[in-house]
Amino acid sequence: MPIGNYGFDYGTVASIHPHSIAIALDTEKKTVQTQVAHSYNDRLKRFLRPGSEVICSWRHRDHTRRDAPTIIHPMAVEGVNQWRRPSSYRSLYSHSRGTSPGINAEYWFKDMLLAAGVRADHSTGFADEHLGVDLWVFLLYMGTWRWIPVDVTFEKLKKLNGTPTSKFSTAIARGVFPLRLTPSYPPRNPKEALSMLVMQIQTVQHLFSGNKKHPVHRQKAHIRELQEYPIGTRKAA
């Protein structure tokens, strides 16, 4: 899973063709095309129309580049409001910046990833408190663009003898990648923060391979939250 140079930009669907979609990027000031004849184009066409606002991500293998390529992967395109459907879930505690050192660390790490050109979103209260997800990070994982669930923690993940702690085991059992930040070894820049995350993903990736356990998908977490706490209800947490 090479790190490469990630980037993302907001854009507007310029036109939809039989085998691809043209998107005019806002910051890059250029029009890009999704890969021709990719099966995922048909899925995008179900909710995109000319004028639809989207976010496009990309990754260069060339570490000297950050600009948008001419051709982008259709799985790296999402609608701007795709994840903005709030449920009726009431959080048990505040997830706002400044609430605690742990919450501040989550926001700080998220900002570092954004500066590295990687999309990162704070999870909802439901995903945090029920699934153990602090951040969703959009990466090219196992050849597929997807949201990676991350648990940012100050707690130890391994004991002195190398055995996993309960914090580590619980995260893996939930399908979440644990990431420990320590005051003695904080990432010094965005690239180092991304490297730390990718290294941890590579370290524990084998625990999700060859068995029935997989990293939790954001789509499934989103659907579950809306099913258990539908919009417009007063169901308590």
Side-chain angles (χ1 to χ4, degrees):
M1 185 178 176
I3 296 175
N5 268 8
Y6 279 90
F8 68 91
D9 192 8
Y10 289 82
T12 304
V13 174
S15 57
I16 297 179
H17 307 286
H19 302 295
S20 67
I21 298 171
I23 300 170
L25 299 181
D26 294 347
T27 306
E28 294 277 326
K29 302 301 181 184
K30 65 187 294 185
T31 298
V32 298
Q33 295 277 150
T34 59
Q35 289 179 358
V36 174
H38 194 286
S39 59
Y40 204 81
N41 282 318
D42 291 333
R43 296 184 61 180
L44 286 178
K45 292 176 185 178
R46 296 175 189 173
F47 67 90
L48 293 183
R49 299 289 183 273
S52 296
E53 295 181 336
V54 295
I55 307 177
C56 303
S57 297
W58 59 85
R59 193 197 74 189
H60 287 295
R61 294 186 181 277
D62 182 352
H63 287 227
T64 65
R65 296 186 62 185
R66 286 285 296 275
D67 61 311
T70 303
I71 305 297
I72 61 175
H73 200 291
M75 294 186 72
V77 179
E78 291 191 338
V80 168
N81 297 317
Q82 186 163 334
W83 307 106
R84 296 179 182 175
R85 291 181 60 197
S87 71
S88 58
Y89 182 78
R90 299 176 184 176
S91 297
L92 301 177
Y93 59 92
S94 175
H95 299 267
S96 301
R97 189 191 294 264
T99 304
S100 68
I103 298 296
N104 288 343
E106 294 172 15
Y107 277 94
W108 174 78
F109 195 73
K110 170 188 170 183
D111 291 343
M112 294 283 271
L113 293 176
L114 291 173
V118 175
R119 291 179 61 196
D121 285 349
H122 242 87
S123 69
T124 62
F126 175 86
D128 188 337
E129 297 168 7
H130 288 259
L131 306 177
V133 180
D134 292 323
L135 298 176
W136 295 102
V137 185
F138 199 51
L139 294 173
L140 191 57
Y141 174 77
M142 303 286 284
T144 302
W145 282 94
R146 63 161 292 178
W147 287 98
I148 301 296
V150 179
D151 176 12
V152 180
T153 181
F154 287 145
E155 297 181 32
K156 290 184 178 180
L157 300 178
K158 296 289 182 68
K159 299 177 182 178
L160 292 178
N161 61 5
T163 60
T165 63
S166 59
K167 180 71 174 179
F168 179 91
S169 300
T170 299
I172 296 299
R174 287 173 164 174
V176 179
F177 290 94
L179 177 76
R180 187 189 183 206
L181 296 179
T182 65
S184 60
Y185 180 50
R188 294 169 295 181
N189 54 60
K191 183 177 179 181
E192 192 170 292
L194 178 57
S195 296
M196 174 185 287
L197 175 59
V198 171
M199 184 178 298
Q200 180 63 2
I201 290 174
Q202 292 174 331
T203 299
V204 303
Q205 188 172 292
H206 70 283
L207 298 176
F208 296 117
S209 304
N211 56 44
K212 296 181 180 179
K213 193 65 183 177
H214 303 282
V216 60
H217 282 269
R218 187 173 188 178
Q219 181 71 19
K220 291 183 178 179
H222 190 58
I223 292 173
R224 177 182 165 184
E225 178 175 352
L226 291 175
Q227 287 177 338
E228 296 186 21
Y229 297 90
I231 299 172
T233 67
R234 296 183 177 181
K235 186 177 179 180

